[in-house]
Structure formats: structure tokens, C-alpha cells
Amino acid sequence: MANTHNSLSPTEGLWSLRRLPDMDEAQFNQWQTLLEHRTGITLSSERRSFLETNLGIRMREIGCSSYQAYYEKIVSGPDAVVEWSTLVDRLTVQETRFFRDPDAFRLVSDYVITRPREQLRKRPLEAWSVGCSTGEEPYTLAMVLNDCMSQLELPPLFGVTGSDISKPAIDKARRGQFNARKLLGMNEDLKERYFRPSERNTVEIVDNLRDRVCFTRLNVLDLAGAPMHGMNIIFCQNLLIYFRRWRRREIVKRLAERLAPGGLLVLGQGELTDWQPPGLQRVPSEHVLAWIKRQTDEE
């Protein structure tokens, strides 16, 4: 492309066409270390092109000409905190959908239906969706819990918390507004009861369900200080795959500490192998990776 060496201003429209140089090994290692240190997420060398693409898109948006310059902006620039938040959102928000793992949600339903009714009358059920992205998973949990309470002819005493590292994802989840395509394949009865039409081919969660779901920004590396305790259900799927094996175990150990006695922990299939979390009993299931926290004699 001719005459671009003096035309890098984004306002002139040429910077966005200029190809960034390939990321060398030292640069990749630098970004890899930063991501793992701050988020725990491990990027394998096979995902270098993924990192290059996402960094490149953001660098073009703000007119940054090299990986090193952008790294310095992220680490010590005046807007470092805001820029880091924007980048983490690009690197972590994954495609999700309602009822993504039907077997896991059926297990949750069976778990609630078989709880002693007296227990469900006395204390609200508390569920937590860890790494909830844009909210489809926690809203699905709320639908499942609401249906269980109706089936048991009990008042809907439950609450769901969704947490994620990405602030933009959490902001979108709070709005409870989704493209109508997100509902493709969903049971028509569920659509009718839990969604209403909104503007521009979108739908939104009905108020009485949305009021039972709250969202908070949380990095799973900071679970030790998380305010969630005594949770009846913790749902953590498609998150642990981004972490090293030792860190997965540490995260699951922290989550188990936040379960109420008899509480249910649901992970994604294959996310934790050859390890028995202490104090938890594996749920016998071919299709779902889940444990129940053992009750002590006093409980």
C-alpha cells in the first residue's frame, strides 16, 4: 500500500487498513504472562493468532501502532484500568445461550424437586452462576428454579447471582434484553412465560423473573474475598478450561467452601479430571460433572 508511512492517523481512514506485524515470541510471552497474572487465564501458543487478532482490532480502534506501545498503555497509561477492562471483555466473553447444557439443568431441577419441602419453605434457595457472561445462564437457572417451586406448589423463594470478570458483559446481563435469535429452539411455553417483546427484534426477561437475578463483577482469582456464602447451587461451566490444572483445583476448592451443606456444584464435562474435591461427593451421572457437599453430623 503506497504512501502510508506518514498517514497513520485513524481519522484519515488508512491506519485501519495497515497490517500489524506478526507478534514475536517475546511479545507473546509478555502478554501471556500479564493475562495469567491478572486473570489466571492461560493462552497456549496455539492461540497466538487469537490474541493478535483481538489486540489488533482494539489497537486500530484507538490508533496504537505497536504491541509494545499498547502493552505500556495497558500497564501504566493514564487510562490503564479502563483500557484493561475493555481488552479483558474482548478476550473472555464467549458465545453462550439459554439452556446451553440441558442435562445439567435437568440435574438442577431433580436436585431441587427432591429437597425436603420444609427446608425450601424455611430458607430461600440461593444459586450462583460463575462466569455468567451476558446473563443467559443465570436467567436459565432462575427459570428452572421458578418452575420447580411451581411444581412443588411453594412460593418462589429463591435468588440467583451471576458473576463475571467482564464489566460490559455484566452491564448487558443486567438489562435482560436479548436478540430474538437467542430463543431459537427454546420451549414455546418458556418463551411465553419468561420473555416479552422489546424494541428492534429483541426480547426481554419479564420483571418478576429479572427481579430474582442480580449480577456482580468478580475475578475468579479473588474468590477468597467473594461475599457469596451458603449457596445451595453453584453452576460453573465452560470457565475452568481457560486455566491451568492446578488453578482449576484451587478455584473448585474455593467454590466448595461457599456451598451450604448438601449444596450442589455443577461443572462442565471434562473440566476437572482425576481429582476428588475434599468434602464433596460425586453425583452419579454419565452426562453431568457434579458434586454434593457432605452434611456433617450436626446438620
Side-chain angles (χ1 to χ4, degrees):
M1 191 166 70
N3 300 320
T4 60
H5 62 280
N6 60 354
S7 305
L8 298 184
S9 168
T11 57
E12 293 176 38
L14 292 173
W15 164 243
S16 61
L17 302 176
R18 185 175 183 265
R19 189 182 182 281
L20 283 166
D22 289 337
M23 183 180 280
D24 65 32
E25 191 70 25
Q27 287 171 328
F28 178 67
N29 289 342
Q30 182 175 243
W31 281 99
Q32 197 180 33
T33 301
L34 181 70
L35 275 166
E36 183 160 7
H37 174 68
R38 289 191 176 182
T39 68
I41 293 170
T42 305
L43 279 185
S44 63
S45 52
E46 292 78 31
R47 302 198 75 203
R48 186 185 299 190
S49 61
F50 163 82
L51 181 62
E52 284 180 344
T53 300
N54 283 279
L55 288 180
I57 290 169
R58 182 57 186 159
M59 287 161 63
R60 287 182 176 91
E61 288 172 359
I62 62 174
C64 196
S65 58
S66 75
Y67 295 119
Q68 188 59 36
Y70 187 50
Y71 181 87
E72 286 165 12
K73 183 179 178 65
I74 285 281
V75 171
S76 56
D79 301 319
V81 174
V82 174
E83 188 55 39
W84 173 251
S85 178
T86 301
L87 180 63
V88 166
D89 180 54
R90 303 289 177 88
L91 296 176
T92 58
V93 176
Q94 303 297 316
E95 179 61 28
T96 184
R97 60 185 183 275
F98 294 98
F99 291 91
R100 179 175 180 163
D101 183 348
D103 290 326
F105 289 111
R106 271 193 290 273
L107 180 72
V108 169
S109 179
D110 291 345
Y111 168 80
V112 175
I113 293 293
T114 55
R115 294 302 91 196
R117 288 204 189 189
E118 206 47 48
Q119 228 177 62
L120 296 174
R121 280 195 187 94
K122 276 183 187 172
R123 182 179 181 272
L125 269 178
E126 295 288 348
W128 179 13
S129 166
V130 186
C132 69
S133 188
T134 47
E136 288 85 342
E137 185 176 279
Y139 286 124
T140 301
L141 275 171
M143 292 176 211
V144 170
L145 296 183
N146 198 64
D147 283 0
C148 287
M149 294 306 195
S150 296
Q151 193 177 327
L152 293 168
E153 298 180 339
L154 292 172
L157 291 174
F158 69 87
V160 180
T161 301
S163 68
D164 199 273
I165 193 174
S166 166
K167 185 179 183 300
I170 287 295
D171 290 343
K172 187 176 189 309
R174 283 193 181 112
R175 288 194 291 274
Q177 195 171 7
F178 300 91
N179 190 293
R181 288 196 309 271
K182 287 275 189 178
L183 273 57
L184 287 174
M186 189 186 285
N187 179 295
E188 289 298 324
D189 176 55
L190 288 173
K191 287 188 205 174
E192 195 173 304
R193 284 189 291 132
Y194 295 124
F195 296 89
R196 62 177 176 228
S198 190
E199 75 263 5
R200 281 183 252 163
N201 198 35
T202 63
V203 292
E204 59 186 8
I205 303 285
V206 295
D207 291 344
N208 65 344
L209 192 77
R210 192 165 59 180
D211 289 346
R212 301 198 171 275
V213 186
C214 68
F215 295 93
T216 186
R217 186 164 178 263
L218 179 69
N219 184 336
V220 288
L221 296 192
D222 300 329
L223 283 175
M228 296 79 164
H229 293 281
M231 309 304 292
N232 304 102
I233 299 160
I234 298 180
F235 210 91
C236 179
Q237 289 200 317
N238 307 300
L239 173 73
L240 297 179
I241 51 172
Y242 299 105
F243 299 93
R244 295 187 190 276
R245 188 175 299 167
W246 68 267
R247 203 184 289 277
R248 293 182 195 187
R249 294 182 175 191
E250 184 62 30
I251 289 168
V252 171
K253 182 170 169 287
R254 292 288 187 194
L255 293 177
E257 289 168 0
R258 275 145 182 76
L259 276 175
L264 176 71
L265 173 64
V266 182
L267 305 182
Q269 278 283 53
E271 289 187 313
L272 197 69
T273 54
D274 304 324
W275 184 56
Q276 172 58 51
L280 301 182
Q281 184 171 348
R282 178 78 192 270
V283 175
S285 170
E286 288 181 23
H287 307 293
V288 186
L289 186 61
W291 289 268
I292 287 180
K293 188 167 187 175
R294 293 190 182 98
Q295 307 258 7
T296 63
D297 293 337
E298 293 82 40
E299 288 142 356

